[in-house]
Amino acid sequence: MSKIRISNGEQFPVEMHKVRIVQKLNLIPIEKRLKAIIDAGCNTFLLRNRDVFLDMLTDSGVNAMSDRQLSSMLLADDSYAGSETFYKLEDSIKYIFEKTFFLPAHQGRACEHIISKVFVKKGSIVPMNYHFTTTKAHITTLLGKVLEIPIPEAYDINSSHLFKGNMDAKKLREAFIEHKDNIPFVRMEAGTNLIGGQPFSLSNIKEIYSICRENNVPLVLDASLLSDNLYFIKKREKEYQNFSILDITREISKNTDIVYFSARKLSSARGGGICTNNESFYKTMRELVPLYEGFLTYGGMSVREMEAMAVGLIDTMDETVISQGPEFIEYMTAELLKNGVPCVTPAGGLGCHLDANRFVSHIKELEFRAASLAVAIYIVSGIRGMERGTLSEQRDENGNEVISDMELVRLAMPRRVFTMSQIKYAIDRITWLYENKELIGGIKWDEEPKTLRFFYGRLKPVNDWPNRLLEKFKKDFKDSL
Ligand code: F0G
């Protein structure tokens, strides 16, 4: 963020922005928090925001916008067809990705819907560095399969590997030999979400792209979390230290055939889009945009958000803008580790990720360790995190639970939203919870939806543990909220 030295040697990131609009927060008493989470079926997605103190559920659609973005929204050209705003957005896309053809869509999963409909059929196999929930759901709904081939370190929660989002090139070569005709595209995800916001290196995507070229199969980049990945390449990949963020972005894009993104993350606005230099791909995907999204010059988005996207994409090329998230996450992770709290290392982008398998190893796997920990964190702090583990999986063909490779609680760091004192509060409450971890118990299904069940499934505690946790909190924190 900034190279500022602190006189006593302490190290912490200093914000390179100031707050000009604020939203008031509430911290309701612990008794009310306990009632709120039980009423929400022990699912943090079902909490009402008025009951949440620090909303670390996600960075999606909740990043702070810049003054430049907000002011641009007033200039939006509101017309069904041919809006000037669309052309501004298209220009930003061309400038940063150097791709000629752009299709707007209302959010990231809408792009996945379009890409999957065009490329995936029954029996298709899509290799990727790791799946994302909505990506997988779109592919499997069309009876295709996801083949995850990250490097082995991706699964190692305590690793020092700087690019755990890399794809295993050898496994990709093997996949091409084994499934040659069934691979419609290969997908790389920037800032790999479900393994803790971990980046791929530029040299890795170059290698993966050359394998795709040899096999004449397109490489699709999910650039939703690109800003964090760009920061990590600049910081961690020696070869590209002297490249600007824009140069790195263009170099990545050059090694892809299709780029899509959720603008709820990339560009700190709300929307999405797909771009490519391949006219034939463009024309085939274009057929679906008016059908599912809206006319080609708005694609289901508000033009105001599109203005903000156009500016936000350019803002993303500024290192002092994109460094805030990863540097706050690194600070929070380092402090928690000092206190013994198990976290995913190295710290990635998107959020601080707690390792629930070690945090609450006493809870049975089928009683959802990460989801139970997310419940406990909300009760003791009012902080809303998100389960990224077994509950976020889908059951297998035989209806059995699939135990996730990782059992994480993600405490997302929406960009430029939280202050350092709020992060210190989070570190304190999570550390206290870790010291009292044996009081946390499991949860079990009450109502289980069939797909993307983590969004609105309802669960309940297996016993009276939430009350015991509340009692210990009252004893230790007395009249504190
Ligand atoms: N790809 C990645 C890597 C994502 O993280 C997301 C969303 C999507 C695609 C879908 O985009 O939400 O705009 O439809 N991730 C959000 C999250 C939901 O909280 O991590 P969307």
Side-chain angles (χ1 to χ4, degrees):
M1 268 166 104
S2 52
K3 290 193 183 67
I4 293 174
R5 277 185 210 288
I6 302 299
S7 52
N8 67 3
E10 196 189 339
Q11 284 193 336
F12 55 84
V14 176
E15 295 85 345
M16 296 307 278
H17 55 262
K18 65 177 177 179
V19 179
R20 292 173 65 203
I21 294 182
V22 296
Q23 179 179 353
K24 202 178 154 348
L25 290 175
N26 294 316
L27 178 53
I28 58 171
I30 186 166
E31 292 82 356
K32 288 198 172 156
R33 300 200 292 264
L34 176 52
K35 180 171 180 325
I37 192 72
I38 298 296
D39 289 351
C42 290
N43 182 345
T44 54
F45 276 97
L46 301 182
L47 284 167
R48 289 184 64 151
N49 213 24
R50 65 175 187 197
D51 297 329
V52 172
F53 179 44
L54 303 181
D55 192 1
M56 296 187 164
L57 184 76
T58 176
D59 60 337
S60 175
V62 290
N63 296 303
M65 277 194 193
S66 68
D67 47 359
R68 282 167 27 85
Q69 286 182 287
L70 276 174
S71 58
S72 74
M73 292 171 92
L74 290 173
L75 302 172
D77 179 20
D78 224 338
S79 49
Y80 188 91
S83 158
E84 271 311 301
T85 297
F86 172 78
Y87 297 104
K88 273 193 219 166
L89 177 55
E90 194 185 48
D91 283 348
S92 288
I93 297 279
K94 277 186 191 155
Y95 176 69
I96 73 165
F97 291 120
E98 299 187 309
K99 300 252 192 253
T100 312
F101 304 108
F102 172 60
L103 291 167
H106 78 274
Q107 61 184 92
R109 69 200 70 181
C111 305
E112 291 170 342
H113 178 215
I114 291 166
I115 294 170
S116 303
K117 277 238 163 196
V118 166
F119 289 96
V120 177
K121 54 181 198 288
K122 189 174 176 194
S124 290
I125 292 180
V126 184
M128 49 184 78
N129 53 346
Y130 207 72
H131 80 279
F132 183 68
T133 49
T134 55
T135 330
K136 187 171 176 175
H138 278 296
I139 292 170
T140 54
T141 301
L142 291 162
L143 306 177
K145 276 198 178 139
V146 162
L147 175 68
E148 287 170 317
I149 44 169
I151 54 165
E153 288 85 349
Y155 299 107
D156 184 359
I157 285 180
N158 267 121
S159 168
S160 56
H161 197 291
L162 297 177
F163 292 104
K164 293 205 291 186
N166 281 354
M167 185 180 278
D168 190 324
K170 189 165 162 277
K171 291 207 178 115
L172 181 60
R173 285 209 162 84
E174 286 162 9
F176 273 123
I177 293 166
E178 205 175 324
H179 309 289
K180 174 77 184 142
D181 298 327
N182 289 330
I183 299 182
F185 64 88
V186 172
R187 173 177 172 275
M188 284 291 277
E189 182 181 312
T192 325
N193 192 329
L194 297 190
I195 56 168
Q198 300 292 326
F200 57 67
S201 67
L202 188 38
S203 52
N204 182 250
I205 194 170
K206 279 186 170 178
E207 187 179 6
I208 297 306
Y209 186 57
S210 74
I211 302 171
C212 292
R213 289 286 87 240
E214 284 162 27
N215 290 277
N216 208 17
V217 163
L219 176 64
V220 174
L221 171 70
D222 180 344
S224 306
L225 290 165
L226 183 69
S227 69
D228 300 333
N229 208 125
L230 290 168
Y231 167 81
F232 288 124
I233 288 176
K234 172 96 183 152
K235 284 280 154 196
R236 297 178 182 175
E237 200 167 353
K238 283 214 176 63
E239 216 178 321
Y240 300 103
Q241 254 167 17
N242 297 324
F243 276 50
S244 67
I245 297 294
L246 178 63
D247 292 338
I248 298 173
T249 307
R250 289 178 173 173
E251 200 60 25
I252 291 176
S253 181
K254 212 188 277 174
N255 287 280
T256 65
D257 296 289
I258 296 175
V259 175
Y260 77 90
F261 59 94
S262 166
R264 300 177 64 81
K265 293 173 185 275
L266 185 67
S267 82
S268 297
R270 291 156 200 93
I274 308 172
C275 60
T276 180
N277 278 329
N278 182 315
E279 195 166 1
S280 147
F281 291 162
Y282 165 72
K283 284 193 171 155
T284 325
M285 291 189 288
R286 188 175 64 179
E287 306 261 319
L288 301 181
V289 174
L291 187 61
Y292 293 115
E293 299 300 304
F295 188 66
L296 290 177
T297 54
Y298 72 93
M301 288 185 276
S302 136
V303 278
R304 273 165 284 283
E305 295 292 340
M306 288 166 69
E307 285 281 346
M309 272 169 77
V311 174
L313 288 172
I314 305 298
D315 284 352
T316 301
M317 298 298 107
D318 179 340
E319 195 183 335
T320 64
V321 169
I322 59 172
S323 58
Q324 187 273 332
E327 291 191 0
F328 263 49
I329 293 162
E330 194 180 8
Y331 174 82
M332 182 167 171
T333 307
E335 292 298 307
L336 286 172
L337 287 170
K338 264 190 230 162
N339 298 341
V341 179
C343 302
V344 174
T345 60
L350 209 177
C352 173
H353 291 78
L354 306 178
D355 176 9
N357 275 339
R358 275 184 295 152
F359 200 121
V360 283
S361 53
H362 59 281
I363 297 178
K364 290 186 202 134
E365 277 183 324
L366 285 175
E367 289 178 0
F368 305 115
R369 288 174 178 164
S372 306
L373 179 56
V375 168
I377 290 172
Y378 172 73
I379 294 172
V380 303
S381 66
I383 295 171
R384 161 154 74 167
M386 186 194 289
E387 187 266 4
R388 297 272 76 159
T390 300
L391 201 82
S392 295
E393 291 288 344
Q394 288 163 218
R395 284 182 187 261
D396 67 15
E397 299 89 52
N398 307 318
N400 296 319
E401 287 281 1
V402 174
I403 302 294
S404 175
D405 298 326
M406 284 179 202
E407 201 65 44
L408 307 179
V409 174
R410 177 179 90 182
L411 298 167
M413 194 77 70
R415 295 164 187 84
R416 293 180 290 182
V417 168
F418 295 126
T419 60
M420 186 49 84
S421 54
Q422 290 168 335
I423 300 307
K424 288 190 170 185
Y425 168 83
I427 293 165
D428 177 74
R429 287 297 189 266
I430 292 161
T431 302
W432 178 87
L433 188 62
Y434 186 64
E435 285 157 5
N436 291 278
K437 57 183 183 291
E438 70 288 351
L439 292 172
I440 308 171
I443 56 177
K444 59 183 177 191
W445 283 114
D446 202 2
E447 279 174 48
E448 183 185 349
K450 283 206 175 69
T451 46
L452 297 174
R453 58 189 190 164
F454 59 93
F455 277 136
Y456 56 101
R458 298 185 64 83
L459 300 100
K460 50 188 179 191
V462 292
N463 57 38
D464 195 31
W465 67 263
N467 275 317
R468 290 196 290 274
L469 186 62
L470 178 145
E471 277 159 26
K472 182 71 183 353
F473 180 96
K474 299 288 280 184
K475 187 165 163 267
D476 287 4
F477 291 105
K478 313 251 164 357
D479 57 353
S480 169
L481 284 171

